[in-house]
Amino acid sequence: MKLFSIFGDPVNHSRSPLMHNSVFKTLGVSACYSRTHLTDGSQLRNVFEAKKLSGANVTVPHKEAAYAQCDEVRGIAKTIKAVNTLVYEKGKLIGYNTDADGFMSAIQSFGPIKNALILGGGGTARALSIALRQGEITPTVLNRSSGRLDFFIQEGIEAYCWNGFTADDYDLIINTTSAGLSDDELPIPRPLLIELLSRSKGAVDVIYGKETPFLREIKISGLPYKDGSDMLLAQGVLASYLFLGGEFSLKTIEVPMQHSFSL
Ligand code: NDP
């Protein structure tokens, strides 16, 4: 039996085990997907190997650590420098980033978008900023602190910390911070958020499965919005495709994975 897991801190909230196990069961694949609570990201590869995993997903806050521990990184993850999917291939740890394509697929329903403001500067913000730019949508990044801005500035993406940012018009406001995940915080100060939402056409919170304070403010604003469920599904389908070595089509994987959302 092949073993897979998701690494994160926190990781209890993750729906990935349900999603991937549902695919394995429906497609008759002998595999099992578990959760691994990992506090020290530098131990990711050691734990992956000790558990004899065939593949894994990586969530907050270990995506950059995962990138650093791969033998080879493929596709958009090379630019993003953050990995959310690991596959063991002939004794080598290969890293991918399926968040980027998953997000782009999820925002199709907003229609044409010219620019977007990304709140947060972590692995997900990197993935989304590069994916948006590839999709000809201009990203701007706003993070709480300045420590993580270098990546964006080096990529030629406008990036600010709270000090030094002035509100502007953005088609989409995207929360990629973990504010609201296991606390009751907003990703940016409330007056600034309210002004940004009043000048925007839509909003996305990449957190899923709960009403975050950010999501509550979007609902009050009346803007079209999405939580992270569609992105979760799309990134999961792409990860499962990689785990299964391309043996099953994306559509074949999507049906049981989508079904797991109603369980
Ligand atoms: P990282 O740990 O890499 O980055 C977290 C970011 O959030 C940092 O920029 C940090 O700012 C900021 N932040 C944390 N707490 C606060 C706060 N209280 N107020 C303001 N900013 C804060 O996380 P990831 O990028 O890996 O993940 C971020 C979120 O995205 C998680 O909630 C995760 O669950 C979700 N996610 C959802 C997906 C989906 O499929 N729906 C896919 C991927 C991620 P600072 O630099 O100042 O510390």
Side-chain angles (χ1 to χ4, degrees):
M1 175 180 282
K2 288 188 169 181
L3 301 176
F4 298 87
S5 196
I6 177 154
F7 290 86
D9 179 24
V11 78
N12 269 347
H13 69 286
S14 174
R15 280 199 208 153
S16 293
L18 196 62
M19 290 159 57
H20 287 277
N21 285 324
S22 177
V23 172
F24 297 151
K25 192 172 167 200
T26 307
L27 302 183
V29 176
S30 173
C32 183
Y33 189 113
S34 66
R35 286 187 184 87
T36 305
H37 182 214
L38 184 76
T39 46
D40 180 359
S42 70
Q43 291 306 308
L44 198 151
R45 185 175 182 139
N46 287 342
V47 179
F48 182 104
E49 288 177 344
K51 286 187 167 231
K52 299 195 181 339
L53 300 177
S54 299
N57 286 119
V58 184
T59 187
V60 58
H62 301 315
K63 290 178 191 179
E64 286 131 328
Y67 169 86
Q69 291 167 55
C70 288
D71 294 310
E72 187 186 331
V73 175
R74 293 188 185 152
I76 197 168
K78 281 195 282 199
T79 314
I80 297 166
K81 297 187 172 61
V83 152
N84 80 320
T85 302
L86 296 165
V87 181
Y88 218 39
E89 222 180 79
K90 296 179 190 144
K92 280 188 166 180
L93 197 57
I94 314 291
Y96 299 88
N97 191 305
T98 68
D99 288 333
D101 288 341
F103 177 77
M104 292 309 283
S105 144
I107 61 165
Q108 294 303 315
S109 58
F110 284 99
I113 291 164
K114 287 205 280 297
N115 65 3
L117 180 69
I118 298 173
L119 309 178
T124 310
R126 287 184 184 194
L128 271 47
S129 64
I130 300 297
L132 286 166
R133 192 175 61 183
Q134 281 190 0
E136 294 183 2
I137 298 169
T138 307
T140 301
V141 169
L142 175 59
N143 196 39
R144 174 176 62 179
S145 57
S146 59
R148 301 194 200 224
L149 299 185
D150 286 356
F151 168 84
F152 303 98
I153 291 161
Q154 276 161 20
E155 283 294 326
I157 292 168
E158 261 188 71
Y160 304 90
C161 57
W162 292 357
N163 295 338
F165 175 79
T166 325
D168 205 338
D169 298 332
Y170 298 99
D171 289 345
L172 204 58
I173 310 292
I174 308 159
N175 175 36
T176 73
T177 75
S178 39
L181 182 63
S182 46
D183 54 38
D184 204 33
E185 291 184 29
L186 281 169
I188 51 173
R190 190 160 183 271
L192 177 59
L193 179 60
I194 288 171
E195 179 172 2
L196 285 166
L197 291 176
S198 74
R199 299 170 71 166
S200 175
K201 295 179 186 160
V204 181
D205 194 339
V206 301
I207 297 177
Y208 58 86
K210 66 177 291 192
E211 189 179 74
T212 59
F214 179 75
L215 211 55
R216 272 203 297 277
E217 290 296 341
I218 304 171
K219 287 182 183 174
I220 294 168
S221 76
L223 283 178
Y225 71 91
K226 271 192 173 191
D227 77 354
S229 304
D230 287 357
M231 175 182 174
L232 177 73
L233 175 65
Q235 65 76 29
V237 169
L238 293 166
S240 180
Y241 180 82
L242 295 167
F243 291 156
L244 299 174
E247 199 185 324
F248 299 92
S249 72
L250 294 174
K251 199 70 213 166
T252 308
I253 292 167
E254 186 181 339
V255 175
M257 199 172 268
Q258 169 92 69
H259 177 68
S260 76
F261 278 50
S262 57
L263 295 176

